């Protein structure tokens, strides 16, 4: 597996965006900044996903201008990177130079970031930049108490050019990012392969009395050994009742003989996510009741997997899953047919045991998009993740695969990874 992404990916991404901008538009983007932690410490740097999508650059203090109609071809795409700084290079390591930046991104014109506002002025006031497109993070569940560099940048540009028209790149980029190129599919497959390895290692090592964090350590060892950047999200390693807490991520409890263990883990590789859930018995053998519940979820998963075809949508998958799981829950004795007839339609009984959505797009962000009504098209990669959470029995089960939409059957990027009870038990016996 190559260690850098080919720049044709970013060249193509910029071309696709430029093709959708109205005439005389310019689009401007800023890189992320490091998030302060304390003292002179920062959280690990993670590039803003759209900026990475358009440049492949993983550095702070960088900007991108796209001006597709600008007469001078050399100024239609300009990448700005941090100018060389002796002190910074001494303390933090070699800095990217212009030649390297061109190699990574495919952008031919590279300037120092200290020249950004001057160059932007030139282009904006040239008569070829009537509408300025700015990027915002438009995710329905996003709540952020601190102002991000992207938000400050939007304000700053608008303040400098108050008389211009403005447009939003987010809807265009969200739609483009939903359809993965061959390069992105290959990289996501690789992320899924690393995550699979980590889960397989857990099948061999999990046993009663371990702590959840010890299992997490096994996962992190495999992620690191395979050059993953880290986790794509906070990993959930949840024994017994902990699995009924949907965003459990303390991972501090001891694993008990007879309990189930729910994993929701995914590495990030070259900034691309994977997202896997599996549920296994701590001692290697499911009890009869655990088998009943597990197979109920697995049956539904197999059925809804068939809906991941062109024309389908997340909303249909959610509704079908709730309907099918309701039947399964009746079989499991959680409530009766009569109870369902009498239930408040606004509070279906099954929601007590299944309270989350069943699918989202993955990509540069683990929740790349959750547009419930967007029809599936080949090249999309979505999760399929039904579950059941029976708090009173200490049973929490989720099973999650990542599926690539094709013209025909979806392709499971975790194909071959143990999922049947027999496969899990056999892998744990070794
Ligand atoms: N791991 C987050 C999710 O499954 O959606
Ligand atoms: Mn997950
Ligand atoms: Mn997921």
């Amino acid at each position: 597996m190559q260690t850098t992404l080919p720049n044709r990916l970013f060249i193509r991404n910029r071309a696709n965006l430029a093709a959708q901008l109205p005439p005389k538009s310019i689009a401007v983007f800023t890189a992320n900044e490091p998030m302060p932690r304390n003292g002179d410490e920062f959280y690990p740097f993670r590039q803003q996903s759209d900026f990475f999508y358009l440049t492949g650059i993983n550095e702070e203090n960088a900007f991108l201008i796209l001006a597709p109609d600008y007469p001078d071809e050399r100024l239609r795409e300009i990448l700005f990177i941090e100018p060389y700084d002796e002190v910074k290079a001494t303390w933090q390591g070699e800095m990217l130079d212009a030649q390297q930046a061109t190699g990574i991104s495919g952008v031919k014109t590279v300037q120092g970031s200290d020249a950004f506002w001057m160059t932007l002025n030139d282009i904006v006031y040239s008569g070829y930049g009537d509408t300025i497109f700015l990027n915002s993070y438009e995710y329905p569940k996003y709540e952020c108490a601190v102002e991000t560099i992207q938000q400050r940048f939007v304000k700053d540009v608008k303040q400098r050019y108050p008389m211009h028209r403005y447009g939003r790149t987010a809807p265009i980029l969200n739609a483009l990012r939903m359809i993965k190129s061959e390069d992105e599919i290959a990289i996501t497959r690789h992320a899924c392969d690393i995550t699979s390895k980590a889960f397989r290692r857990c099948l061999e090592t999990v046993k009663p009395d371990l702590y959840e964090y010890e299992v997490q350590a096994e996962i992190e060892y495999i992620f690191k050994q395979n050059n993953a950047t880290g986790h794509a999200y906070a990993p959930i390693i949840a024994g017994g009742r902990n699995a009924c807490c949907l965003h459990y991520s303390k991972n501090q409890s001891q694993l008990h003989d007879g309990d189930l263990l729910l994993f929701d883990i995914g590495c990030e590789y070259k900034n691309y996510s994977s997202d896997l859930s599996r549920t296994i018995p701590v001692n290697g053998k499911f009890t009869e009741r655990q088998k009943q519940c597990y197979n109920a979820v697995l049956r539904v998963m197999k059925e809804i997997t068939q809906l991941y075809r062109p024309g389908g949508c997340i909303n249909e998958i959610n509704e079908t899953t709730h309907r099918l799981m309701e039947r399964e829950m009746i079989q499991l004795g959680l409530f009766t047919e009569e109870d369902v007839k009498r239930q408040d339609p606004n509070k279906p009984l099954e929601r007590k045991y299944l309270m989350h959505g069943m699918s989202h797009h993955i990509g540069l962000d683990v929740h790349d998009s959750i547009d419930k009504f967007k029809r599936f098209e080949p090249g999309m990669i979505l999760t399929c993740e039904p579950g059941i959470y029976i708090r009173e029995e200490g049973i929490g089960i989720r099973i999650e695969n990542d599926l690539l939409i094709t013209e025909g059957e979806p392709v499971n990027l975790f194909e071959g990874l143990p999922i049947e009870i027999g496969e899990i038990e056999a892998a744990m016996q070794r």
Side-chain angles (χ1 to χ4, degrees), residues 301-334:
M301 184 187 210
K302 286 178 183 169
E303 197 151 339
I304 60 171
T305 294
Q306 295 310 314
L307 303 176
Y308 287 71
R309 289 168 183 273
C313 69
I314 293 175
N315 195 50
E316 178 192 10
I317 283 160
N318 284 341
E319 286 182 359
T320 307
T321 307
H322 283 296
R323 183 167 49 76
L324 294 173
M325 282 305 301
E326 182 178 81
R327 307 313 311 156
E328 295 288 354
M329 287 173 196
I330 291 169
Q331 293 302 316
L332 290 170
L334 296 177

Side-chain angles (χ1 to χ4, degrees), residues 233 236 263-266 274-277 360 366-367 383 385 398 400 402:
Y233 52 89
I236 298 171
F263 296 80
D264 190 339
I265 57 168
S274 56
D275 189 3
L276 171 76
S277 298
H360 54 86
V366 69
H367 290 174
T383 65
E385 49 182 306
R398 179 161 62 257
E400 177 174 27
D402 297 345

